[in-house]
Amino acid sequence: MKQIIVAIDGYSSCGKSTIAKQLAQYAGYRYIDTGAMYRAVALYFIKLRVESLALSEMESSKLNELLQQIHIDFAIQPDGTQHVTLNGEDVEKQIRTLEVGNAASQIAVIPEVRRFLVAQQQQMGKNGGIVMDGRDIGTVVFPEAELKLFLTASPEVRAERRYKELIEKGEQPVMADVLADVNDRDYRDTHRAESPLKQAADAVVVDNSNMTREEQMEKIYRIFNEACK
Ligand code: DC
């Protein structure tokens, strides 16, 4: 059967990565979490103590030079999951905090950062057999993808999911802060000048606010099988 490119875009915390991982496993495809790549770049600059604002004001050639020092990869774990690595170091846990998520959203507005990561994502997916999730996969990275899914859920439902995830990780979030954070991130992701989050004209929209995981996956498998024909 044809090995297609599946592009999954959508708002933060609407279950994109869980769905993408599950679909990749079902299809026997490689899964690429592009949000993890933005998070890894953000972590690199946090560690260097370079603020996002300083980066956005930096001369393009200097910023490109700094970006060339960053090597991001995905290491497959014995249980089949993937951990993102930054210059050889497993940073999977470090990138999953609110702080890094916010910094990622800020550096993701910088054109040089986007160009740097988009080129790598295009390389990773060029032979198909891939499920890639992010914000601009169906619009910018792979506008020719055979299947584009656009996932969405209400901000309240997403904030609740995010809240539970953070509690499970041992953080002590405040619900109002998490909701404000979801709304802020939505605003930044949809209003930035460079590759804003937007639904591709040919994307299939899946609103999972009122769907169980099983209902949702059944629907997605059906759409996927149809796209492979
Ligand atoms: O999906 P996530 O929460 O891990 O993504 C972190 C940030 O990275 C998010 O605020 C937007 C940005 N991002 C992006 O701009 N483009 C992508 N393809 C993926 C993520």
Side-chain angles (χ1 to χ4, degrees):
M1 213 193 295
K2 193 165 75 165
Q3 297 262 300
I4 67 168
I5 294 175
V6 183
I8 303 187
D9 291 302
Y11 291 97
S12 64
S13 306
C14 62
K16 275 195 312 289
S17 60
T18 310
I19 293 161
K21 265 183 232 163
Q22 222 168 310
L23 177 60
Q25 200 174 20
Y26 171 82
Y29 283 12
R30 182 165 184 214
Y31 163 60
I32 301 289
D33 172 1
T34 63
M37 299 172 78
Y38 286 90
R39 285 170 182 262
V41 170
L43 180 66
Y44 178 82
F45 288 117
I46 289 173
K47 287 186 172 185
L48 269 189
R49 298 183 190 280
V50 181
E51 301 273 338
S52 320
L53 184 62
L55 283 176
S56 59
E57 288 172 349
M58 199 175 276
E59 213 178 286
S60 191
S61 58
K62 170 92 181 109
L63 177 53
N64 284 327
E65 216 174 280
L66 282 179
L67 289 168
Q68 289 312 315
Q69 310 300 314
I70 304 177
H71 185 77
I72 297 167
D73 213 340
F74 291 93
I76 314 256
Q77 304 303 297
D79 64 358
T81 59
Q82 297 187 52
H83 285 186
V84 68
T85 63
L86 170 62
N87 294 337
E89 184 193 353
D90 182 334
V91 291
E92 184 61 34
K93 195 144 185 258
Q94 294 178 58
I95 62 163
R96 301 293 169 193
T97 62
L98 263 184
E99 184 202 1
V100 177
N102 278 327
S105 169
Q106 284 165 17
I107 58 117
V109 306
I110 305 172
E112 287 83 353
V113 171
R114 299 206 73 82
R115 277 198 288 275
F116 172 71
L117 292 179
V118 166
Q120 294 179 31
Q121 291 153 8
Q122 288 172 334
Q123 191 61 25
M124 289 169 172
K126 69 180 193 307
N127 297 325
I130 198 147
V131 178
M132 192 173 277
D133 78 3
R135 304 292 190 286
D136 59 341
I137 313 304
T139 50
V140 175
V141 182
F142 291 114
E144 75 289 4
E146 290 89 344
L147 175 57
K148 299 177 186 177
L149 295 172
F150 191 86
L151 301 181
T152 177
S154 72
E156 291 72 21
V157 167
R158 288 185 286 128
E160 216 175 292
R161 291 179 189 156
R162 184 92 194 105
Y163 180 83
K164 283 189 193 145
E165 270 170 29
L166 290 168
I167 296 268
E168 274 166 24
K169 275 185 208 143
E171 292 193 31
Q172 292 173 325
V174 174
M175 188 58 192
D177 292 348
V178 179
L179 180 59
D181 195 70
V182 164
N183 284 322
D184 282 355
R185 229 188 274 187
D186 284 359
Y187 186 85
R188 269 202 301 271
D189 289 350
T190 51
H191 285 78
R192 63 175 175 235
E194 181 96 359
S195 316
L197 167 65
K198 72 171 187 264
Q199 191 190 316
D202 50 351
V204 181
V205 181
V206 179
D207 182 335
N208 63 24
S209 305
N210 298 308
M211 267 189 209
T212 64
R213 171 96 44 95
E214 290 72 27
E215 284 166 349
Q216 174 176 254
M217 288 319 299
E218 242 169 63
K219 180 175 173 141
I220 289 172
Y221 293 155
R222 223 177 316 119
I223 300 170
F224 170 77
N225 288 324
E226 203 50 45
C228 288
K229 278 185 188 159

